[in-house]
Short mmCIF file of all heavy atoms in Angstrom, two decimals:
data_model
loop_
_atom_site.label_atom_id
_atom_site.label_comp_id
_atom_site.label_asym_id
_atom_site.label_seq_id
_atom_site.Cartn_x
_atom_site.Cartn_y
_atom_site.Cartn_z
N GLN J 80 -30.39 -2.39 7.68
CA GLN J 80 -30.88 -1.03 7.57
C GLN J 80 -32.35 -1.00 7.08
O GLN J 80 -33.16 -0.26 7.60
CB GLN J 80 -30.08 -0.23 6.52
CG GLN J 80 -28.78 0.38 7.07
CD GLN J 80 -28.10 1.16 6.00
OE1 GLN J 80 -27.22 0.62 5.31
NE2 GLN J 80 -28.46 2.41 5.69
N ILE J 81 -32.66 -1.92 6.16
CA ILE J 81 -34.05 -2.05 5.63
C ILE J 81 -34.97 -2.34 6.77
O ILE J 81 -36.07 -1.76 6.99
CB ILE J 81 -34.15 -3.17 4.55
CG1 ILE J 81 -33.50 -2.72 3.24
CG2 ILE J 81 -35.60 -3.59 4.33
CD1 ILE J 81 -33.45 -3.74 2.21
N MET J 82 -34.55 -3.26 7.73
CA MET J 82 -35.40 -3.70 8.78
C MET J 82 -35.72 -2.54 9.74
O MET J 82 -36.72 -2.61 10.48
CB MET J 82 -34.80 -4.90 9.57
CG MET J 82 -34.75 -6.16 8.71
SD MET J 82 -34.30 -7.61 9.67
CE MET J 82 -32.57 -7.33 9.94
N GLY J 83 -34.98 -1.45 9.72
CA GLY J 83 -35.23 -0.26 10.53
C GLY J 83 -35.94 0.78 9.85
O GLY J 83 -36.27 1.86 10.43
N LEU J 84 -36.24 0.61 8.56
CA LEU J 84 -36.91 1.69 7.77
C LEU J 84 -38.34 1.92 8.15
O LEU J 84 -39.06 1.02 8.50
CB LEU J 84 -36.85 1.36 6.25
CG LEU J 84 -35.55 1.36 5.54
CD1 LEU J 84 -35.66 0.67 4.18
CD2 LEU J 84 -35.00 2.75 5.48
N PRO J 85 -38.80 3.18 8.08
CA PRO J 85 -40.21 3.50 8.52
C PRO J 85 -41.18 2.73 7.58
O PRO J 85 -42.20 2.23 8.11
CB PRO J 85 -40.35 4.99 8.29
CG PRO J 85 -39.15 5.44 7.62
CD PRO J 85 -38.06 4.40 7.77
N GLU J 86 -40.83 2.55 6.30
CA GLU J 86 -41.83 1.79 5.36
C GLU J 86 -41.77 0.31 5.56
O GLU J 86 -42.76 -0.38 5.34
CB GLU J 86 -41.40 2.07 3.91
CG GLU J 86 -41.52 3.55 3.48
CD GLU J 86 -40.18 4.26 3.57
OE1 GLU J 86 -39.33 3.80 4.40
OE2 GLU J 86 -40.03 5.28 2.92
N TYR J 87 -40.70 -0.22 6.09
CA TYR J 87 -40.62 -1.68 6.18
C TYR J 87 -41.13 -2.20 7.51
O TYR J 87 -40.45 -2.30 8.52
CB TYR J 87 -39.18 -2.15 5.95
CG TYR J 87 -39.08 -3.66 5.67
CD1 TYR J 87 -39.44 -4.23 4.48
CD2 TYR J 87 -38.65 -4.56 6.72
CE1 TYR J 87 -39.30 -5.55 4.22
CE2 TYR J 87 -38.55 -5.90 6.48
CZ TYR J 87 -38.92 -6.41 5.24
OH TYR J 87 -38.79 -7.70 5.02
N TYR J 88 -42.46 -2.42 7.53
CA TYR J 88 -43.22 -2.76 8.80
C TYR J 88 -42.91 -4.25 9.30
O TYR J 88 -43.17 -4.50 10.43
CB TYR J 88 -44.70 -2.58 8.53
CG TYR J 88 -45.20 -3.48 7.40
CD1 TYR J 88 -45.57 -4.76 7.62
CD2 TYR J 88 -45.26 -3.00 6.08
CE1 TYR J 88 -45.94 -5.56 6.56
CE2 TYR J 88 -45.58 -3.81 5.05
CZ TYR J 88 -45.90 -5.09 5.24
OH TYR J 88 -46.21 -5.93 4.29
N PRO J 89 -42.62 -5.23 8.34
CA PRO J 89 -42.60 -6.63 8.95
C PRO J 89 -41.79 -6.92 10.10
O PRO J 89 -42.21 -7.57 11.09
CB PRO J 89 -42.14 -7.48 7.69
CG PRO J 89 -42.42 -6.67 6.52
CD PRO J 89 -42.19 -5.22 6.95
N THR J 90 -40.59 -6.31 10.13
CA THR J 90 -39.64 -6.68 11.24
C THR J 90 -40.17 -6.18 12.58
O THR J 90 -40.23 -6.89 13.56
CB THR J 90 -38.22 -6.17 10.96
OG1 THR J 90 -37.82 -6.53 9.69
CG2 THR J 90 -37.25 -6.59 12.04
N ARG J 91 -40.50 -4.91 12.60
CA ARG J 91 -40.98 -4.31 13.84
C ARG J 91 -42.34 -4.91 14.30
O ARG J 91 -42.61 -5.02 15.47
CB ARG J 91 -40.92 -2.81 13.87
CG ARG J 91 -41.99 -2.12 13.13
CD ARG J 91 -41.99 -0.59 13.31
NE ARG J 91 -42.57 -0.01 12.12
CZ ARG J 91 -41.91 0.25 11.02
NH1 ARG J 91 -40.60 0.01 10.94
NH2 ARG J 91 -42.54 0.70 9.96
N THR J 92 -43.17 -5.33 13.37
CA THR J 92 -44.44 -5.95 13.69
C THR J 92 -44.19 -7.34 14.29
O THR J 92 -44.76 -7.65 15.34
CB THR J 92 -45.32 -6.10 12.45
OG1 THR J 92 -45.40 -4.85 11.78
CG2 THR J 92 -46.73 -6.56 12.83
N GLU J 93 -43.32 -8.06 13.73
CA GLU J 93 -43.04 -9.41 14.29
C GLU J 93 -42.34 -9.25 15.65
O GLU J 93 -42.61 -10.00 16.63
CB GLU J 93 -42.07 -10.24 13.32
CG GLU J 93 -41.96 -11.67 13.79
CD GLU J 93 -41.28 -12.57 12.78
OE1 GLU J 93 -40.26 -12.13 12.22
OE2 GLU J 93 -41.72 -13.67 12.62
N LEU J 94 -41.47 -8.21 15.76
CA LEU J 94 -40.79 -7.96 17.08
C LEU J 94 -41.84 -7.66 18.08
O LEU J 94 -41.79 -8.21 19.25
CB LEU J 94 -39.85 -6.74 16.91
CG LEU J 94 -39.14 -6.29 18.14
CD1 LEU J 94 -38.21 -7.41 18.66
CD2 LEU J 94 -38.29 -5.10 17.89
N ALA J 95 -42.85 -6.83 17.77
CA ALA J 95 -43.90 -6.51 18.77
C ALA J 95 -44.65 -7.74 19.13
O ALA J 95 -45.05 -7.93 20.32
CB ALA J 95 -44.87 -5.46 18.09
N ILE J 96 -44.96 -8.65 18.23
CA ILE J 96 -45.71 -9.90 18.52
C ILE J 96 -44.78 -10.70 19.59
O ILE J 96 -45.33 -11.14 20.53
CB ILE J 96 -45.85 -10.75 17.30
CG1 ILE J 96 -46.89 -10.04 16.30
CG2 ILE J 96 -46.39 -12.22 17.62
CD1 ILE J 96 -47.00 -10.76 14.96
N PHE J 97 -43.50 -10.69 19.36
CA PHE J 97 -42.63 -11.48 20.34
C PHE J 97 -42.53 -10.76 21.65
O PHE J 97 -42.51 -11.36 22.70
CB PHE J 97 -41.23 -11.63 19.71
CG PHE J 97 -41.10 -12.56 18.57
CD1 PHE J 97 -39.96 -12.73 17.90
CD2 PHE J 97 -42.22 -13.38 18.19
CE1 PHE J 97 -39.83 -13.62 16.79
CE2 PHE J 97 -42.13 -14.17 17.11
CZ PHE J 97 -40.97 -14.34 16.43
N GLN J 98 -42.51 -9.39 21.61
CA GLN J 98 -42.44 -8.60 22.91
C GLN J 98 -43.77 -8.92 23.72
O GLN J 98 -43.71 -8.97 24.94
CB GLN J 98 -42.18 -7.16 22.62
CG GLN J 98 -40.79 -6.86 22.25
CD GLN J 98 -40.61 -5.47 21.76
OE1 GLN J 98 -41.50 -4.88 21.04
NE2 GLN J 98 -39.46 -4.89 21.98
N GLU J 99 -44.84 -8.87 23.03
CA GLU J 99 -46.15 -8.87 23.68
C GLU J 99 -46.67 -10.31 24.04
O GLU J 99 -47.37 -10.51 24.99
CB GLU J 99 -47.18 -8.06 22.88
CG GLU J 99 -46.95 -6.59 23.05
CD GLU J 99 -47.55 -5.78 21.83
OE1 GLU J 99 -48.57 -6.30 21.26
OE2 GLU J 99 -47.02 -4.70 21.56
N GLN J 100 -46.31 -11.27 23.16
CA GLN J 100 -46.80 -12.61 23.28
C GLN J 100 -45.79 -13.65 23.36
O GLN J 100 -45.97 -14.84 23.20
CB GLN J 100 -47.78 -12.92 22.09
CG GLN J 100 -48.91 -11.90 21.92
CD GLN J 100 -49.69 -12.08 20.68
OE1 GLN J 100 -50.49 -13.09 20.62
NE2 GLN J 100 -49.57 -11.24 19.72
N GLY J 101 -44.53 -13.25 23.69
CA GLY J 101 -43.34 -14.12 23.69
C GLY J 101 -43.48 -15.29 24.64
O GLY J 101 -43.05 -16.38 24.34
N ALA J 102 -44.10 -14.94 25.80
CA ALA J 102 -44.17 -16.02 26.81
C ALA J 102 -45.10 -17.16 26.31
O ALA J 102 -44.77 -18.39 26.43
CB ALA J 102 -44.67 -15.48 28.16
N ALA J 103 -46.18 -16.80 25.71
CA ALA J 103 -47.17 -17.75 25.22
C ALA J 103 -46.54 -18.56 23.99
O ALA J 103 -46.76 -19.81 23.82
CB ALA J 103 -48.44 -17.05 24.77
N ILE J 104 -45.80 -17.82 23.18
CA ILE J 104 -45.13 -18.49 22.04
C ILE J 104 -44.08 -19.53 22.55
O ILE J 104 -44.01 -20.64 22.10
CB ILE J 104 -44.44 -17.41 21.06
CG1 ILE J 104 -45.55 -16.53 20.50
CG2 ILE J 104 -43.75 -18.17 19.91
CD1 ILE J 104 -44.98 -15.37 19.70
N ALA J 105 -43.29 -19.08 23.52
CA ALA J 105 -42.30 -19.96 24.09
C ALA J 105 -42.91 -21.26 24.70
O ALA J 105 -42.48 -22.37 24.51
CB ALA J 105 -41.51 -19.29 25.21
N ARG J 106 -44.08 -21.06 25.43
CA ARG J 106 -44.72 -22.23 25.95
C ARG J 106 -45.20 -23.17 24.91
O ARG J 106 -45.06 -24.36 24.92
CB ARG J 106 -46.01 -21.78 26.79
CG ARG J 106 -45.69 -21.40 28.20
CD ARG J 106 -46.89 -21.32 29.06
NE ARG J 106 -47.87 -20.28 28.57
CZ ARG J 106 -47.84 -19.02 28.87
NH1 ARG J 106 -46.89 -18.58 29.68
NH2 ARG J 106 -48.67 -18.16 28.41
N ALA J 107 -45.77 -22.55 23.75
CA ALA J 107 -46.27 -23.43 22.61
C ALA J 107 -45.00 -24.15 21.99
O ALA J 107 -45.25 -25.34 21.49
CB ALA J 107 -46.96 -22.48 21.61
N LEU J 108 -43.91 -23.55 21.92
CA LEU J 108 -42.75 -24.22 21.28
C LEU J 108 -42.12 -25.28 22.10
O LEU J 108 -41.62 -26.24 21.66
CB LEU J 108 -41.66 -23.13 20.97
CG LEU J 108 -41.96 -22.09 19.88
CD1 LEU J 108 -40.87 -21.10 19.71
CD2 LEU J 108 -42.25 -22.86 18.54
N ALA J 109 -42.17 -25.12 23.49
CA ALA J 109 -41.57 -26.12 24.38
C ALA J 109 -42.53 -27.19 24.81
O ALA J 109 -42.13 -28.18 25.42
CB ALA J 109 -41.00 -25.38 25.62
N ALA J 110 -43.80 -26.95 24.47
CA ALA J 110 -44.86 -27.95 25.02
C ALA J 110 -44.57 -29.36 24.57
O ALA J 110 -44.81 -30.29 25.38
CB ALA J 110 -46.23 -27.50 24.37
N GLY J 111 -44.16 -29.63 23.35
CA GLY J 111 -43.93 -30.97 22.96
C GLY J 111 -42.72 -31.68 23.62
O GLY J 111 -42.72 -32.83 23.87
N ALA J 112 -41.68 -30.85 23.94
CA ALA J 112 -40.47 -31.40 24.59
C ALA J 112 -40.77 -31.85 25.98
O ALA J 112 -40.16 -32.82 26.37
CB ALA J 112 -39.34 -30.36 24.47
N GLY J 113 -41.51 -31.11 26.69
CA GLY J 113 -41.75 -31.35 28.16
C GLY J 113 -40.44 -31.16 28.88
O GLY J 113 -39.52 -30.53 28.34
N ALA J 114 -40.40 -31.65 30.12
CA ALA J 114 -39.15 -31.39 30.94
C ALA J 114 -38.14 -32.53 30.72
O ALA J 114 -37.04 -32.44 31.13
CB ALA J 114 -39.54 -31.27 32.41
N SER J 115 -38.58 -33.61 29.96
CA SER J 115 -37.77 -34.79 29.95
C SER J 115 -36.73 -34.84 28.84
O SER J 115 -35.72 -35.54 28.97
CB SER J 115 -38.61 -36.01 29.83
OG SER J 115 -39.44 -35.79 28.61
N GLN J 116 -36.78 -34.01 27.82
CA GLN J 116 -35.81 -34.05 26.77
C GLN J 116 -35.31 -32.62 26.40
O GLN J 116 -36.04 -31.68 26.59
CB GLN J 116 -36.28 -34.77 25.53
CG GLN J 116 -37.65 -34.39 25.05
CD GLN J 116 -38.04 -35.17 23.76
OE1 GLN J 116 -37.15 -35.57 23.06
NE2 GLN J 116 -39.35 -35.31 23.56
#
Side-chain angles (χ1 to χ4, degrees):
Q80 277 181 266
I81 288 173
M82 290 191 287
L84 289 170
E86 296 94 336
Y87 194 75
Y88 59 83
T90 308
R91 70 174 157 277
T92 309
E93 191 172 44
L94 178 64
I96 294 173
F97 290 173
Q98 284 170 325
E99 286 156 28
Q100 304 175 70
I104 298 173
R106 275 195 299 276
L108 292 178
S115 59
Q116 49 180 332

